[in-house]
Each structure stands twice: as structure tokens, then as C-alpha cells.
Amino acid sequence: MKGLTHFISGIAAASFIPDVVRLSTTSSEASNPSSASFLLAIAGVYAIMPDTLDFKFGRFFEKADVDISPKPNSIDPCEMARTFGMAIDRAWQENREIRVQFNTVRLGADKWQQYEIKFNTDRQEISIVIGDVVTTSQVPFQGTAPEISTGTYSLKHAKLMPGTTRNTKVDILSGPMYGFVPEKECVRVDFLPWHRTWSHSYVVGLLLALPLWGIAAIGGWAYAWLYPIVAFIAFATHVTEDLTGHMGGSLIWPLYKKRSKGLALFHAANPDANFVTNFIAVIIIIFNLDRYGSRFITLPYYQYFLFFLVGPLLIYFLPRTFKKTAKIPPDLLRQENHPDIYRQKTDSRFEEIQDESESVIT
Amino acid sequence: MIVDLIILICFVILGTLAGALLSLIPSLHIYNTAGIALIIWIQAGQFIPFDMIAPFFLSLLTSFTFISAIPMTLIGAPDESATATILPNTKYLMTGRGYEAVVISGIGSLMGIIILAGLSPVMFKIVPLTHRILAPHLHWIIMAVIAYMLMSEWPKGEGIGETSIQRLLHAWGNLFAGLLTFILAGLLGLFLTSRPLIGPEAGFQNLMPVFIGLFAIPGAIQHLLSRQNIPNQFIPRTVEITSKDVAVSGLQGTIAGGLAAYLPAVTAGIGSIIAGHTVARRGDRLFIISGGVAKVLYYIGAFLLLYLITPLTPGGIGRGGLAIILKPVLNPLPRELLLMIGIVVFTACISFLFLLTASRWMISWLKRFHYHALYWSSLALLTVLVFWITGWEGFLVMLVATCIGLIPVFYHCRRSNCMAVLLLPIALNMAGHSSSVLRFFQLE
């Protein structure tokens, strides 16, 4: 899910607690009319926190075993491929995870050298292909690629696990990190191995929520105990929502560190999933604010949700019902090991990470 | 009756023309001139009928929502250091498609007018009810907007370094700048709301120096520092927009404009960021069309909320700059809403046609004159305007605000962080915390 979806969902989840709504109301009926609480805004902050921890903090503290920083103006694709390939071989030989960080190549204020990391699992090769110079908007300056633009390395010891690789272009801002994990007879490729690990754990959520109790108590805020509860609910909403995607998370890190698989219901950036979740959350928030506060809605709850939730969503989805789509046989969908489906799911995981990271870019 | 109608049409056309001409001046916002126009109007009250105030200013505003696309898109070419933060309109301009961007934006605004007119009957039922439910919660909603804006800004540095701290600091440059901008703008807002420096005689434009300093002057300086020239522009006979573009951008623009129109101190820019994330779709064309829709709902829709007089909202819902400027002299009646919508539709049609002509004229003009000339004139005009209306005090406020507004220009963080000047004091005030915060800063 995108950042905003988590943010609004967290607020919606917290709005189910009557005291939270009452504390957040500025009216004569409020418990303390002179100063209303920002509790629901805090819920939003905690709901977006797992991705903030990953993309704004965590990734800078992740140590790479191998750092590939090409020099501007003298990029050597052969040397890059050799360093990269040797790192993969090393993972197999040393029987441990090796992480490789690729860095971007900035040539000027608005010029970046693009290069592509390619995997060939049939021939067990990796390649680095130097592309054109691009602007920050990723518009290429045609014909700027160097004459010797490709470096290839044939793996000598390791064998890449099919379906876990994906070619990636590196150009602007920061570069990606790969993790190479020896598993059975192959090396599994983990793209952005630091994402959705410790930050997407209910345990960490609890630990991050608890200090709020102390802060609220020191500040003399009413219902100080409610603050950590709201924060944890919002954090947990994010972690749970992410399970609907392809990647999952390390749900009880540090007790169990392995990243679980997601339900693969949809992409993190799926427009329909995000919009519908946002819409449902807003309708729920308004309903809860009213029923625990002003009570202006005179409709019974089922009519309210029928008119304001089901109705608009039907209108939103109505145009799709006239669209023809190719049907995939249901038995094929369940075949996890079918190479095409497997590749499709792996691609989705990679795209999910990139889309999610872009959800906070303006 | 016919005479009244002719007078009305004359004032609407006058407002449209005035709005169109003023909107062509880069960096000048229509609200900066609306206050002055109102003063002139009041002083000439015996010659001009008072009941024409709303039609005149509404057509002025409608015209601005269309024509402002011209200076926003065509005037100025950012240099390469600003490319990380440029808007899609400017990308179009730099590839010779500025005219296309202006027309697409105009189509977006026309769509906004259709949406506004179409939604009005529904809004009459839903908005007052929603307003009564949300009004006691606006403080945390605004604080949530602030939190999301701050948390959703992305590190733009490469994050290269030997140690983790070095990598973090390298990547976080723009985020630190964004936080600094937010804090300084917020403090300026708290200071100005607690100790107004501008005298009551200029109270009708008390925020003008702040906004000119935060947005207009830094924007002009950015263009003046740029050594880029505007590339040759291509004028196509058609523009390509699919039905999907229309549907998605209509939805996105309605959310953005609706949020900005209703939530105090939330601008169309902030609304667009949130709406873009809500519908989770990207694309330059989508951005431009939805921007056009959002502008209409933000400026015109917010003003029309004044006419939403119902048993639940007996005083209407005053939102937006024009409502603040006109409220002291305006006595809106619910039956006038239909007339106002009619005026908006009429003005929009004229403005769109004017947009097509004026953008061609501007493109040919910019071939002969450098855009720097326009920005130098605009800078001089703004400075004189601030000095004339608000005196030395306002001029000093403008200088301080300019220093804050230049941070996003040089460090490439979001310019919307400057809106903390209003967002922070309003959120704190609504929650009843402003006095304790002012006491903390010894400003009470």
C-alpha cells in the first residue's frame, strides 16, 4: 500500500476507540474544551512510520559487504561486473549472505550516468551495461553511451536461483542493494534486503509506541495510557495491510527474523486497491467521528454505508464491467512453481518495493 | 430587469478582463490585487453598485484560474540545478510544448467548472452535514496534513559515504532544509499572529507581505538566476487527451480541490500531493489536467461555500482568500448561488478562448523579449505594492519571509513547507494550544 493509504487507514483504525474521538473534539461537550488532542494525527504518523524507518533511516545504516561506486568519467563495466560476480560467488563459497550496494554516478547538477544490472540465469552470467547519460527526469541524452559499454562475468561457483532475479536500471538519486543468500543448491537474490524486515514487526511497533505513554504522562495529557495504544494500533494496521501485497514482512522480529510471504492479493501501488482503501477509511472516519461525537447522521448504519460507501464504489467500478479481460485458468493461478507465474510474482515483488518507495516522492 | 442584466454582464466582462490582464503578470497573485480593487470600489461606492461586488470579483477569480496557467508555464526557464523540483508544465515548456501544456491546463479548468456546476446540488446536501461533523476536528486534520507533508518528502541526495551517518546526512540534505523551512515559517506565522506588525489600516492585506516574501519573490529570483533560454515553442492544432485521462484527472483534481477548498490553509498544491497519492496514479498530463480542475475548485469552490446557507450552516462556510477579503462587505443569499454558478460558467467560456489567444501572443512576445525583463518588472511592482500598502513594517516582514522562501529554492525541498506560516498557527489555535505555545516562546 502507498504511504497515504497507510496514513488514513491508521487514523480510521484509531477512530474506533470512542475516547480517542472524544479527546480529539473541540466542542463544549469535549472533556477539556480548551485544549483538544492531536491523537488521531499521531495515529497517522505511526501508521506511516514503518516505511519511513526503512526508506529514510534504515537503508543508510545497512552495511554492504561490497560497495560498487563507479567513478564518473572513467566507468569500467568489466570491472563492475567482475566485482559484482565475485561477490555472488563469495556468497556461495562462504555459505553466508553477501550484500552488494550499487551507487549512482552523478556527472553534474542534472546529469547522471545510467547503467543496467542484468542477470542471465540460463548461462549463469551477470552483466553491467552502461547506458546513456540521463537528466534527473530520466530523459536520456541520445548517443552518450560509451563505446565499450558491456561487462560480463560468468559465475564460477554460485548458481543463481531462477525467478528471483530481475534486471534493474540504476540512474538517479540512490542505487539499489542486493542480497545473495545461499539456499539449497542455488543463491537466492534478494532485492533491497533491508526493506520490510525489522521495521515491519509488531514487536517493534509496540516498543516504539510505549515511550508515548511516558511523554503523555510527563506532559500531563489526559488519558496518557491511550497514546501508546493508538500508536500501536496504527503501526499494526500498516504491517497488516502490507501482508496483502507480495512481500509480507518480518512480523515478530527480533523473535523470528525471516520475512514472511504476502498474500499477493494486489500490488502496493495498485490504484484501485489504494483508492478503495482510502475511500473506505474516510467513510469510516466520518461515521466514527459522528457516532462518538456530534451525531448529525440520522441514517441507520447500513443505510449510511449503502449510500456513501457501496453506491459510490459501484459507480467507480461500473465502467470496468463493460471491459473485456483475458481470463487465466484458475488452476494455473494456484501453480506456484509454474515458471511464468513464478516470474510474474517475483516481478510483482520488485515492482512493489519500487512503487512503495516512490509513494513518498512528489 | 434588462438594464440590470446588461449592467451585470458589463461588470462580469470587466472582471474577466481585469483578471486576465493581472494574471499575465508573473509572481503576482490575484489576492494581492483583489484587496486593492476592493478599497478602490468602496471609495467609488457612489458610482458603482454594491451588489455587483460579488459578480465582479468572482469573474476576476475565475479568469485568474484559467489565465494564470500562462505565466506558470511559459514565463521562465529553470536552469539545470532546479530540475529535481520542476513541475510537469515546465517539462513541457523545455521540450517546446509549452502551448500544449497551457491548453491542457485550460481544459482541466473547464472540466473543473463542469464538475463544480454538476456537483453543486449534491454539495448543497452533503457539505453542510460533513462540515458540522468535521468542524470540531479540523485541528487534528490540519495537523495530520502537516505530518503527512513532512513525512512524505523523500531524501533527494544519493546517500553516498563511508559511514552510515555520512550516508544519512548526504541523502537528507533536502529533508533538513524542508524541516528548517517548516519550522521557520511556522515560527514566523506564530509571531505575526501574536504580534501583528502591520497596522489596522492595512489589515485587509495583512498576509500579503508574508506570501509575496515566501512565494512570489523567491520564485522570481529563481527565474532571474537562471541562465537558460526558453526553447522554440511548437503550436499544435490538437492536443491528445484520452477518456481515461479525463476520468482519472477529474477524480484526482476534485479530491485535491475539494480538500484545499474546505481545509483552512491547505492550498491546491498540498491538496494535489495528497490527491495524487490517493488515486495512486502518475503522469505529467494527468498532473496538468488535475491541476486545472483543482485550481477551479480551490479558488472558486471555496468562495461559493459562502453561499451554502442551510439550517446546518446558517452563516455559510467561509473559505479561501476572496471570501476573507469580501466577507466584510458581502451579504450572500442562498438563492444567489445559481446566479454565481452562471457567472462562473460564462466567465470560464470567455477565459478559455482568451487563454488560447493570450498564450500564442505570449509565445511570440517571448521570442522578442527575454523573460528576465518580466521578472525584474514584477519584482519592482511587488516591492512597491508591499511598501505602498503596508509600509516599512510590511516591507521588513516581506524581507524575512523572502529569506525563508529562498531555502526551498536553493536546497530543493518542497515549497509547500512555507505554508506552515498559516497551517501551524491555525492548527494550534483551533486545538486551543496556541496560548501555551506562545507562552513557551514568550510571545504572549
Side-chain angles (χ1 to χ4, degrees), chain B residues 177-204:
Chain B
L179 283 172
L180 183 69
T181 309
F182 181 86
I183 292 166
L184 292 176
L187 284 175
L188 180 68
L190 284 172
F191 184 80
L192 291 176
T193 46
S194 63
R195 294 181 182 184
L197 294 177
I198 295 157
E201 65 283 357
F204 69 99

PDB file of all heavy atoms in Angstrom, chain B residues 177-204:
ATOM      1  N   ALA B 177      16.528  20.784   5.043  1.00  0.00           N
ATOM      2  CA  ALA B 177      16.119  22.107   4.540  1.00  0.00           C
ATOM      3  C   ALA B 177      14.602  22.255   4.628  1.00  0.00           C
ATOM      4  O   ALA B 177      14.093  23.317   5.001  1.00  0.00           O
ATOM      5  CB  ALA B 177      16.586  22.281   3.100  1.00  0.00           C
ATOM      6  N   GLY B 178      13.878  21.180   4.303  1.00  0.00           N
ATOM      7  CA  GLY B 178      12.419  21.216   4.376  1.00  0.00           C
ATOM      8  C   GLY B 178      11.949  21.432   5.809  1.00  0.00           C
ATOM      9  O   GLY B 178      11.051  22.246   6.057  1.00  0.00           O
ATOM     10  N   LEU B 179      12.565  20.702   6.738  1.00  0.00           N
ATOM     11  CA  LEU B 179      12.190  20.862   8.148  1.00  0.00           C
ATOM     12  C   LEU B 179      12.493  22.275   8.636  1.00  0.00           C
ATOM     13  O   LEU B 179      11.691  22.889   9.338  1.00  0.00           O
ATOM     14  CB  LEU B 179      12.959  19.850   9.008  1.00  0.00           C
ATOM     15  CG  LEU B 179      12.436  18.417   8.966  1.00  0.00           C
ATOM     16  CD1 LEU B 179      13.391  17.478   9.689  1.00  0.00           C
ATOM     17  CD2 LEU B 179      11.059  18.329   9.627  1.00  0.00           C
ATOM     18  N   LEU B 180      13.675  22.772   8.232  1.00  0.00           N
ATOM     19  CA  LEU B 180      14.061  24.130   8.629  1.00  0.00           C
ATOM     20  C   LEU B 180      13.056  25.148   8.086  1.00  0.00           C
ATOM     21  O   LEU B 180      12.621  26.051   8.812  1.00  0.00           O
ATOM     22  CB  LEU B 180      15.472  24.439   8.098  1.00  0.00           C
ATOM     23  CG  LEU B 180      16.037  25.794   8.493  1.00  0.00           C
ATOM     24  CD1 LEU B 180      16.329  25.849   9.981  1.00  0.00           C
ATOM     25  CD2 LEU B 180      17.323  26.098   7.711  1.00  0.00           C
ATOM     26  N   THR B 181      12.689  24.980   6.817  1.00  0.00           N
ATOM     27  CA  THR B 181      11.711  25.897   6.215  1.00  0.00           C
ATOM     28  C   THR B 181      10.405  25.849   6.994  1.00  0.00           C
ATOM     29  O   THR B 181       9.805  26.888   7.296  1.00  0.00           O
ATOM     30  CB  THR B 181      11.426  25.487   4.747  1.00  0.00           C
ATOM     31  OG1 THR B 181      12.661  25.333   4.083  1.00  0.00           O
ATOM     32  CG2 THR B 181      10.588  26.519   4.036  1.00  0.00           C
ATOM     33  N   PHE B 182       9.981  24.636   7.303  1.00  0.00           N
ATOM     34  CA  PHE B 182       8.709  24.472   8.015  1.00  0.00           C
ATOM     35  C   PHE B 182       8.773  25.153   9.385  1.00  0.00           C
ATOM     36  O   PHE B 182       7.864  25.909   9.756  1.00  0.00           O
ATOM     37  CB  PHE B 182       8.395  22.978   8.183  1.00  0.00           C
ATOM     38  CG  PHE B 182       7.105  22.735   8.885  1.00  0.00           C
ATOM     39  CD1 PHE B 182       5.917  22.698   8.174  1.00  0.00           C
ATOM     40  CD2 PHE B 182       7.050  22.577  10.255  1.00  0.00           C
ATOM     41  CE1 PHE B 182       4.705  22.512   8.826  1.00  0.00           C
ATOM     42  CE2 PHE B 182       5.858  22.392  10.916  1.00  0.00           C
ATOM     43  CZ  PHE B 182       4.678  22.351  10.192  1.00  0.00           C
ATOM     44  N   ILE B 183       9.851  24.896  10.119  1.00  0.00           N
ATOM     45  CA  ILE B 183       9.963  25.453  11.479  1.00  0.00           C
ATOM     46  C   ILE B 183      10.003  26.986  11.424  1.00  0.00           C
ATOM     47  O   ILE B 183       9.279  27.671  12.158  1.00  0.00           O
ATOM     48  CB  ILE B 183      11.215  24.888  12.194  1.00  0.00           C
ATOM     49  CG1 ILE B 183      11.023  23.392  12.464  1.00  0.00           C
ATOM     50  CG2 ILE B 183      11.501  25.629  13.488  1.00  0.00           C
ATOM     51  CD1 ILE B 183      12.296  22.664  12.858  1.00  0.00           C
ATOM     52  N   LEU B 184      10.840  27.519  10.518  1.00  0.00           N
ATOM     53  CA  LEU B 184      10.974  28.983  10.444  1.00  0.00           C
ATOM     54  C   LEU B 184       9.663  29.637   9.999  1.00  0.00           C
ATOM     55  O   LEU B 184       9.250  30.648  10.566  1.00  0.00           O
ATOM     56  CB  LEU B 184      12.110  29.367   9.486  1.00  0.00           C
ATOM     57  CG  LEU B 184      13.524  29.010   9.957  1.00  0.00           C
ATOM     58  CD1 LEU B 184      14.552  29.359   8.889  1.00  0.00           C
ATOM     59  CD2 LEU B 184      13.860  29.740  11.253  1.00  0.00           C
ATOM     60  N   ALA B 185       9.013  29.043   8.997  1.00  0.00           N
ATOM     61  CA  ALA B 185       7.746  29.604   8.515  1.00  0.00           C
ATOM     62  C   ALA B 185       6.687  29.516   9.611  1.00  0.00           C
ATOM     63  O   ALA B 185       5.910  30.457   9.820  1.00  0.00           O
ATOM     64  CB  ALA B 185       7.281  28.875   7.255  1.00  0.00           C
ATOM     65  N   GLY B 186       6.671  28.399  10.330  1.00  0.00           N
ATOM     66  CA  GLY B 186       5.720  28.228  11.431  1.00  0.00           C
ATOM     67  C   GLY B 186       5.944  29.268  12.525  1.00  0.00           C
ATOM     68  O   GLY B 186       4.998  29.871  13.034  1.00  0.00           O
ATOM     69  N   LEU B 187       7.232  29.483  12.869  1.00  0.00           N
ATOM     70  CA  LEU B 187       7.546  30.481  13.902  1.00  0.00           C
ATOM     71  C   LEU B 187       7.151  31.880  13.440  1.00  0.00           C
ATOM     72  O   LEU B 187       6.616  32.673  14.224  1.00  0.00           O
ATOM     73  CB  LEU B 187       9.051  30.445  14.222  1.00  0.00           C
ATOM     74  CG  LEU B 187       9.520  29.286  15.095  1.00  0.00           C
ATOM     75  CD1 LEU B 187      11.032  29.298  15.241  1.00  0.00           C
ATOM     76  CD2 LEU B 187       8.871  29.375  16.486  1.00  0.00           C
ATOM     77  N   LEU B 188       7.395  32.154  12.158  1.00  0.00           N
ATOM     78  CA  LEU B 188       7.015  33.463  11.615  1.00  0.00           C
ATOM     79  C   LEU B 188       5.494  33.635  11.722  1.00  0.00           C
ATOM     80  O   LEU B 188       5.009  34.703  12.113  1.00  0.00           O
ATOM     81  CB  LEU B 188       7.462  33.578  10.149  1.00  0.00           C
ATOM     82  CG  LEU B 188       7.120  34.892   9.457  1.00  0.00           C
ATOM     83  CD1 LEU B 188       7.918  36.053  10.035  1.00  0.00           C
ATOM     84  CD2 LEU B 188       7.400  34.820   7.949  1.00  0.00           C
ATOM     85  N   GLY B 189       4.778  32.577  11.405  1.00  0.00           N
ATOM     86  CA  GLY B 189       3.322  32.626  11.492  1.00  0.00           C
ATOM     87  C   GLY B 189       2.856  32.868  12.921  1.00  0.00           C
ATOM     88  O   GLY B 189       1.976  33.700  13.168  1.00  0.00           O
ATOM     89  N   LEU B 190       3.477  32.142  13.878  1.00  0.00           N
ATOM     90  CA  LEU B 190       3.104  32.321  15.287  1.00  0.00           C
ATOM     91  C   LEU B 190       3.406  33.746  15.746  1.00  0.00           C
ATOM     92  O   LEU B 190       2.616  34.378  16.449  1.00  0.00           O
ATOM     93  CB  LEU B 190       3.889  31.329  16.158  1.00  0.00           C
ATOM     94  CG  LEU B 190       3.421  29.873  16.125  1.00  0.00           C
ATOM     95  CD1 LEU B 190       4.398  28.983  16.860  1.00  0.00           C
ATOM     96  CD2 LEU B 190       2.034  29.754  16.764  1.00  0.00           C
ATOM     97  N   PHE B 191       4.569  34.246  15.311  1.00  0.00           N
ATOM     98  CA  PHE B 191       4.976  35.602  15.696  1.00  0.00           C
ATOM     99  C   PHE B 191       4.001  36.643  15.152  1.00  0.00           C
ATOM    100  O   PHE B 191       3.553  37.536  15.870  1.00  0.00           O
ATOM    101  CB  PHE B 191       6.394  35.863  15.166  1.00  0.00           C
ATOM    102  CG  PHE B 191       6.945  37.191  15.598  1.00  0.00           C
ATOM    103  CD1 PHE B 191       7.479  37.358  16.866  1.00  0.00           C
ATOM    104  CD2 PHE B 191       6.919  38.270  14.736  1.00  0.00           C
ATOM    105  CE1 PHE B 191       7.973  38.592  17.275  1.00  0.00           C
ATOM    106  CE2 PHE B 191       7.420  39.507  15.129  1.00  0.00           C
ATOM    107  CZ  PHE B 191       7.937  39.659  16.408  1.00  0.00           C
ATOM    108  N   LEU B 192       3.660  36.498  13.871  1.00  0.00           N
ATOM    109  CA  LEU B 192       2.806  37.502  13.234  1.00  0.00           C
ATOM    110  C   LEU B 192       1.365  37.450  13.740  1.00  0.00           C
ATOM    111  O   LEU B 192       0.689  38.480  13.780  1.00  0.00           O
ATOM    112  CB  LEU B 192       2.827  37.337  11.709  1.00  0.00           C
ATOM    113  CG  LEU B 192       4.155  37.692  11.040  1.00  0.00           C
ATOM    114  CD1 LEU B 192       4.096  37.402   9.554  1.00  0.00           C
ATOM    115  CD2 LEU B 192       4.525  39.158  11.271  1.00  0.00           C
ATOM    116  N   THR B 193       0.904  36.251  14.129  1.00  0.00           N
ATOM    117  CA  THR B 193      -0.467  36.186  14.643  1.00  0.00           C
ATOM    118  C   THR B 193      -0.551  36.704  16.074  1.00  0.00           C
ATOM    119  O   THR B 193      -1.595  37.194  16.500  1.00  0.00           O
ATOM    120  CB  THR B 193      -1.012  34.739  14.624  1.00  0.00           C
ATOM    121  OG1 THR B 193      -0.019  33.864  15.149  1.00  0.00           O
ATOM    122  CG2 THR B 193      -1.397  34.296  13.240  1.00  0.00           C
ATOM    123  N   SER B 194       0.571  36.613  16.803  1.00  0.00           N
ATOM    124  CA  SER B 194       0.530  37.099  18.181  1.00  0.00           C
ATOM    125  C   SER B 194       0.862  38.594  18.257  1.00  0.00           C
ATOM    126  O   SER B 194       0.353  39.311  19.095  1.00  0.00           O
ATOM    127  CB  SER B 194       1.496  36.309  19.054  1.00  0.00           C
ATOM    128  OG  SER B 194       2.813  36.505  18.596  1.00  0.00           O
ATOM    129  N   ARG B 195       1.759  39.042  17.396  1.00  0.00           N
ATOM    130  CA  ARG B 195       2.156  40.454  17.412  1.00  0.00           C
ATOM    131  C   ARG B 195       2.108  41.021  16.002  1.00  0.00           C
ATOM    132  O   ARG B 195       3.156  41.132  15.343  1.00  0.00           O
ATOM    133  CB  ARG B 195       3.586  40.581  17.959  1.00  0.00           C
ATOM    134  CG  ARG B 195       3.668  40.190  19.404  1.00  0.00           C
ATOM    135  CD  ARG B 195       5.047  40.345  19.940  1.00  0.00           C
ATOM    136  NE  ARG B 195       5.073  39.911  21.326  1.00  0.00           N
ATOM    137  CZ  ARG B 195       6.125  39.987  22.105  1.00  0.00           C
ATOM    138  NH1 ARG B 195       7.241  40.495  21.652  1.00  0.00           N
ATOM    139  NH2 ARG B 195       6.075  39.561  23.352  1.00  0.00           N
ATOM    140  N   PRO B 196       0.930  41.367  15.529  1.00  0.00           N
ATOM    141  CA  PRO B 196       0.843  41.876  14.154  1.00  0.00           C
ATOM    142  C   PRO B 196       1.670  43.148  13.986  1.00  0.00           C
ATOM    143  O   PRO B 196       1.556  44.075  14.780  1.00  0.00           O
ATOM    144  CB  PRO B 196      -0.645  42.164  13.975  1.00  0.00           C
ATOM    145  CG  PRO B 196      -1.328  41.637  15.179  1.00  0.00           C
ATOM    146  CD  PRO B 196      -0.327  41.385  16.239  1.00  0.00           C
ATOM    147  N   LEU B 197       2.548  43.140  12.993  1.00  0.00           N
ATOM    148  CA  LEU B 197       3.423  44.292  12.773  1.00  0.00           C
ATOM    149  C   LEU B 197       2.756  45.328  11.869  1.00  0.00           C
ATOM    150  O   LEU B 197       3.142  46.480  11.838  1.00  0.00           O
ATOM    151  CB  LEU B 197       4.733  43.840  12.119  1.00  0.00           C
ATOM    152  CG  LEU B 197       5.634  42.948  12.975  1.00  0.00           C
ATOM    153  CD1 LEU B 197       6.849  42.509  12.188  1.00  0.00           C
ATOM    154  CD2 LEU B 197       6.068  43.669  14.233  1.00  0.00           C
ATOM    155  N   ILE B 198       1.760  44.843  11.128  1.00  0.00           N
ATOM    156  CA  ILE B 198       1.139  45.741  10.159  1.00  0.00           C
ATOM    157  C   ILE B 198      -0.069  46.409  10.802  1.00  0.00           C
ATOM    158  O   ILE B 198      -0.875  45.758  11.476  1.00  0.00           O
ATOM    159  CB  ILE B 198       0.732  44.942   8.899  1.00  0.00           C
ATOM    160  CG1 ILE B 198       2.009  44.438   8.241  1.00  0.00           C
ATOM    161  CG2 ILE B 198      -0.067  45.786   7.922  1.00  0.00           C
ATOM    162  CD1 ILE B 198       1.816  43.244   7.371  1.00  0.00           C
ATOM    163  N   GLY B 199      -0.179  47.694  10.603  1.00  0.00           N
ATOM    164  CA  GLY B 199      -1.233  48.477  11.235  1.00  0.00           C
ATOM    165  C   GLY B 199      -2.627  48.075  10.764  1.00  0.00           C
ATOM    166  O   GLY B 199      -2.774  47.453   9.709  1.00  0.00           O
ATOM    167  N   PRO B 200      -3.640  48.457  11.554  1.00  0.00           N
ATOM    168  CA  PRO B 200      -5.020  48.058  11.208  1.00  0.00           C
ATOM    169  C   PRO B 200      -5.498  48.648   9.881  1.00  0.00           C
ATOM    170  O   PRO B 200      -6.350  48.077   9.221  1.00  0.00           O
ATOM    171  CB  PRO B 200      -5.850  48.596  12.377  1.00  0.00           C
ATOM    172  CG  PRO B 200      -4.973  49.548  13.102  1.00  0.00           C
ATOM    173  CD  PRO B 200      -3.569  49.189  12.809  1.00  0.00           C
ATOM    174  N   GLU B 201      -4.905  49.782   9.472  1.00  0.00           N
ATOM    175  CA  GLU B 201      -5.344  50.407   8.209  1.00  0.00           C
ATOM    176  C   GLU B 201      -4.996  49.531   7.005  1.00  0.00           C
ATOM    177  O   GLU B 201      -5.624  49.633   5.947  1.00  0.00           O
ATOM    178  CB  GLU B 201      -4.755  51.825   8.053  1.00  0.00           C
ATOM    179  CG  GLU B 201      -3.240  51.926   7.903  1.00  0.00           C
ATOM    180  CD  GLU B 201      -2.477  51.756   9.217  1.00  0.00           C
ATOM    181  OE1 GLU B 201      -3.108  51.622  10.277  1.00  0.00           O
ATOM    182  OE2 GLU B 201      -1.233  51.723   9.165  1.00  0.00           O
ATOM    183  N   ALA B 202      -3.985  48.650   7.186  1.00  0.00           N
ATOM    184  CA  ALA B 202      -3.639  47.739   6.092  1.00  0.00           C
ATOM    185  C   ALA B 202      -4.043  46.309   6.433  1.00  0.00           C
ATOM    186  O   ALA B 202      -3.579  45.361   5.817  1.00  0.00           O
ATOM    187  CB  ALA B 202      -2.139  47.799   5.820  1.00  0.00           C
ATOM    188  N   GLY B 203      -4.928  46.204   7.411  1.00  0.00           N
ATOM    189  CA  GLY B 203      -5.321  44.884   7.910  1.00  0.00           C
ATOM    190  C   GLY B 203      -5.945  43.994   6.836  1.00  0.00           C
ATOM    191  O   GLY B 203      -5.838  42.780   6.896  1.00  0.00           O
ATOM    192  N   PHE B 204      -6.573  44.624   5.835  1.00  0.00           N
ATOM    193  CA  PHE B 204      -7.230  43.830   4.787  1.00  0.00           C
ATOM    194  C   PHE B 204      -6.217  43.068   3.939  1.00  0.00           C
ATOM    195  O   PHE B 204      -6.576  42.165   3.202  1.00  0.00           O
ATOM    196  CB  PHE B 204      -8.089  44.747   3.897  1.00  0.00           C
ATOM    197  CG  PHE B 204      -7.294  45.691   3.045  1.00  0.00           C
ATOM    198  CD1 PHE B 204      -7.057  45.402   1.720  1.00  0.00           C
ATOM    199  CD2 PHE B 204      -6.777  46.866   3.579  1.00  0.00           C
ATOM    200  CE1 PHE B 204      -6.317  46.263   0.927  1.00  0.00           C
ATOM    201  CE2 PHE B 204      -6.041  47.725   2.799  1.00  0.00           C
ATOM    202  CZ  PHE B 204      -5.811  47.433   1.467  1.00  0.00           C
TER     203      PHE B 204
END
